[in-house]
Structures are given as C-alpha cells and as structure tokens.
Amino acid sequence: MATVSDTNLNKWQLDRREFIEHRIFWHGRVGLSDLTQVMGLSRAQASKDLNGYIKDHPDHLFYDKSARTYVLGPAFDAKYLKIDAGEYLSELLAVSRGIPVPKSEWIGDLPDIIAPTLPACGLDPFVIRRVLLACAQRRKLTITYQSMSLPDPMDRMIAPHAVAFDGFRWHTRAFCFNNLTFKDFVLSRVSDCRLEEIADVDPTEDADWVECITLRIAPHPGLSANQRHIIELDYGMTDGCVEMEVRKSLLFYNLKRLGLDTDPLARRPQDQQIVLTNADVVYAALGRTAP
C-alpha cells in the first residue's frame, strides 16, 4: 500500500525507488554507488533517496555495517517493483544475447546463461514488412508460397490479420482466397509477395483464431509422489493440475512443444512427465481421437 509520502513522489523519484527494490531483491544489496552510477545521482541525492525509502518503509532494507551496503530487510515487500521471476529470467536471457531490454542497465552480476540453439529461420525483411502492413491496413497480399503438400511453389491471394510464433517458426494467420478458408502460412516459406487492395475480410470470422481451448495438465501418474510434487512445481500447478488456455489455431504447436502430441504410454513416466487429463476434449477440437 502506498503511504502518504508516496503520493507526493514524482515519476523520477518513483523510478529510483523501483530501482532500489530491483537491486535489493535481485542482487541482495544496494549502495550509494549503484544510484550514482546507474541512475546518475549525486551522492547526496542518492543518500536522500535511500533514507527517504527507509523512512517510508521501515525494515524493508537496512544498512549492514560489516558489508558497508544496504541489504534486504526482514519485512521487505515490493511497493514499486513488479516481481515476476519468469519475466526477469527472460530479460536475463535477452541481455545475454545482446537483445535490447528496457532498463537493462539495472541488471548487475549477470550469470553465465545458455539456451538451446535453434536454426535461424530464413525470414525476408521485405516479406515481413508487407505482411505486417497488410495486417495493419487490412489489405490483400499476393504471395508465392511453397507448401509441403505440393512439389512446387504457387501464387496465392491471402488477407493476413495476425502473426504467431510457435516457438520455432513465425506464421501469419490469413484468409486464403484460393481455398476460401483461414489458414496458417509459414513466413519463411513465402518467397515473394506484393500488397493489393483492401480486403473485405472480417478477422473475427476466423473461428480457430478466436476460439480458445483449455489444456488441463497433470503429472504423469506413473511418477512417484516426490517426482509428481517436483513436476507440480515445474509447471506451477495447484492441487496437482494446471490449466492453459491456447488459441485453437496454435493448439497443434502447443501440444507438440509440451510433448503431449503422442501416446503418453509410449515413453517412460520419467521422460513423459506430464499428461493431458482432458485429452479427449482437446483432440476432439482437432477433429482427432486422443492417442
């Protein structure tokens, strides 16, 4: 809860208090040098900010004389910082890859980070530009597209309305005038495209894009009690289950990434780890029976 003093703080003061909480929570300490080096403050202003924070929020942090810095207090409760572990790890990964991240200068003590290496997708920036313009301006596109169902590329007229990432490849969701239906098109398979006239297509009629399917995921019943507990923690489950809402158009990709697209009995429980408890309903949405 904000204090009376908090309501009198300007944007820059609130930003500095967010930084203080970021450093004290994620790095375990904060000192005058952090505020002077990162926030560009004088030592006098940095001291004023830290003392003002402690005055408004006693026991949230305190000065450790032996370490000569401020450390996390027993009553710490973030008032200015949104603490999201998943978001922070994503920021660390982005910084490690040299990707610009807002307030990346706040991050110190960056650990060594590695992630699986995926093949780079061959995306043509001019194709992507036109697809994005078509989405924004509701225009048609004539594309040259190589599908996996035909041996040679062919020209198609489409009306894109959205883009999606399946964890490996980028797609555009579009109405296909050749097949008179909404479909996914893998952007790296578009070799050429040109913008056409305005499309008389309503994206809300794309039922598979609008409709969401709930995945109910639980630990594999063949795991031990302790193993099931760990899987519950891995997936943020409550009472042995977690529900995920996914767009129907991305359902296949979600199942594949989670390893839920095959018979759960085909692998050892220690390898499969999770199962769909509503597999019949989920696969019915794909027009298939559960494996």
Side-chain angles (χ1 to χ4, degrees), residues 108-126:
D109 306 323
L110 186 69
D112 288 337
I113 299 175
I114 61 172
T117 302
L118 297 174
C121 294
L123 296 172
D124 183 331
F126 290 99

Side-chain angles (χ1 to χ4, degrees), residues 67-89:
R68 296 183 178 181
T69 191
Y70 292 87
V71 297
L72 197 70
F76 179 80
D77 179 26
K79 301 296 183 182
Y80 310 92
L81 174 71
K82 175 189 173 186
I83 298 178
D84 185 318
E87 181 178 309
Y88 186 61
L89 287 174

